[in-house]
Amino acid sequence: MDKYGLIGFPLGHSFSIGYFNEKFQNEGIDAEYFNFEIPTIDDFPAVLESAPELKGLNVTIPYKEKVIDFLDAVSPEARAIGAVNVIRVSRRGGKLHLKGFNSDVIGFRQSIEPLLEKHHKKALILGTGGASKAVNHGLKSLGLETVFVSRYERNGMIQYDKITPEVVKEYNVIVNCTPVGMYPNVDDCPKLPYEAMDHDTLLYDLLYNPDETLFMKKGAEQGATVKNGLEMLLLQAFASWEFWTDECYK
C-alpha cells in the first residue's frame, strides 16, 4: 500500500488527512494518508526511514522553507517563491529522490482571480511565512503590487501600526496569511483600520476554521468582499495529487 502524509507542527488542525483518506476510499485507491507531527525539521529523515512505501508529502507550518535543504530538486516556481509544500518521493536505482513543488500558489491564484476587479491594483500581505511567499508570487503574477505587513520593522515591510485608513484605501486587497483568528481564538483579528474599508475592499483569509473569521466579519460589515481559504485548500490538495502521480513531474 502506498503512503502519503503531512509534516508540520502542530497538526491538530490538519485538513489533508481527512480529505485524502476519503478520496482514496471513494476512488478505490490502495493508499493511506498519515500525519507526521515532528517538533523539529531535523526529524524529517526519520520520517522517510519509517515509511519506505512513502510516495508523497505535504508540508505545513513551520517547515515550508526549512525543508528545501533536504530536497534533491525543486520546481522553478517553488524555487522562485522560496517555499515548498508538496514533495514527490520516488526511488531511482534504489536511492530516494525528493522533489519539491508549491501548490499553495496554484490554489491561491485560482481562488482569488475571479474576485479581482480593475480597481484592485495593490495588496497588503499580512505575515511573512512560507504561505505569504506563495501569496506574494500569486498576486504579482496577477499584476498586483504587494507589500508585506509584519509586527517588526524590516526592509520593504510595514508594521501594523503604520497601516492608516489612507493605506487601506490605496491597498484595497488584504490577504491574511497569519494564524490570527484561527479556532479556538475566534475573537482575535489582525489590527487594522476596518472602518476605512468599503465596497472596493477585498479581504482574503487563508484560514478556514471558523468559516467566517473576525477579520472577514469586520470587513464584510463595511461592505468589503470577503473569502476564506477553503477553496484554496481544495485546489492545492488537487494540485498535490497531480504533483505526486503525474509522470510529467518526475
Side-chain angles (χ1 to χ4, degrees):
M1 178 186 290
D2 291 340
K3 288 185 179 180
Y4 298 86
L6 173 70
I7 64 165
F9 189 86
L11 294 181
H13 65 283
S14 170
F15 156 90
S16 300
I17 190 168
Y19 171 84
F20 280 108
N21 282 325
E22 185 176 345
K23 173 185 174 68
F24 298 154
Q25 185 174 0
N26 291 343
E27 298 181 23
I29 299 170
D30 187 25
E32 193 170 358
Y33 193 99
F34 298 85
N35 279 348
F36 298 101
E37 192 171 73
I38 53 175
T40 168
I41 193 62
D42 295 330
D43 294 330
F44 179 54
V47 170
L48 300 172
E49 290 175 17
S50 70
E53 308 90 347
L54 205 57
K55 300 293 183 184
L57 287 166
N58 288 122
V59 184
T60 190
I61 297 170
Y63 302 132
K64 292 183 182 185
E65 297 151 298
K66 295 175 183 175
V67 78
I68 292 175
D69 291 339
F70 293 82
L71 306 180
D72 300 296
V74 177
S75 73
E77 190 164 51
R79 180 71 67 187
I81 293 166
V84 161
N85 77 313
V86 182
I87 301 171
R88 181 178 176 130
V89 182
S90 58
R91 282 157 185 81
R92 299 181 179 180
K95 187 184 175 187
L96 208 59
H97 186 268
L98 307 176
K99 186 171 182 179
F101 301 89
N102 192 298
S103 67
D104 278 342
V105 67
I106 296 170
F108 174 72
R109 191 164 50 209
Q110 291 178 355
S111 180
I112 198 171
E113 188 171 15
L115 303 177
L116 294 173
E117 299 183 26
K118 288 183 179 178
H119 60 268
H120 292 138
K121 296 177 179 175
K122 295 184 178 183
L124 295 177
I125 301 172
L126 312 183
T128 57
S132 71
K133 291 185 174 183
V135 164
N136 181 52
H137 190 87
L139 289 170
K140 285 188 170 180
S141 73
L142 292 168
L144 276 74
E145 183 182 321
T146 61
V147 172
F148 286 98
V149 181
S150 172
R151 288 175 293 172
Y152 311 104
E153 195 75 55
R154 303 187 200 177
N155 288 340
M157 300 182 186
I158 63 173
Q159 290 177 286
Y160 284 92
D161 58 8
K162 303 284 174 60
I163 302 176
T164 62
E166 291 74 25
V167 170
V168 167
K169 293 289 187 186
E170 184 180 358
Y171 290 82
N172 56 8
V173 177
I174 305 176
V175 184
N176 179 35
C177 303
T178 77
V180 176
M182 184 169 69
Y183 180 85
N185 302 311
V186 297
D187 294 327
D188 292 341
C189 66
K191 290 179 173 57
L192 300 169
Y194 292 92
E195 69 280 359
M197 298 175 185
D198 56 28
H199 292 281
D200 290 337
T201 310
L202 170 58
L203 298 188
Y204 191 108
D205 202 328
L206 265 60
L207 302 178
Y208 54 90
N209 185 9
D211 291 337
E212 184 183 51
T213 60
L214 188 57
F215 166 74
M216 294 166 59
K217 185 177 181 181
K218 293 181 78 162
E221 287 171 352
Q222 303 299 321
T225 299
V226 300
K227 185 164 187 172
N228 70 16
L230 184 59
E231 185 186 43
M232 172 184 167
L233 204 66
L234 292 167
L235 290 166
Q236 71 91 358
F238 180 78
S240 294
W241 184 246
E242 293 282 304
F243 287 137
W244 292 332
T245 59
D246 196 314
E247 289 299 300
C248 72
Y249 295 114
K250 286 182 73 174

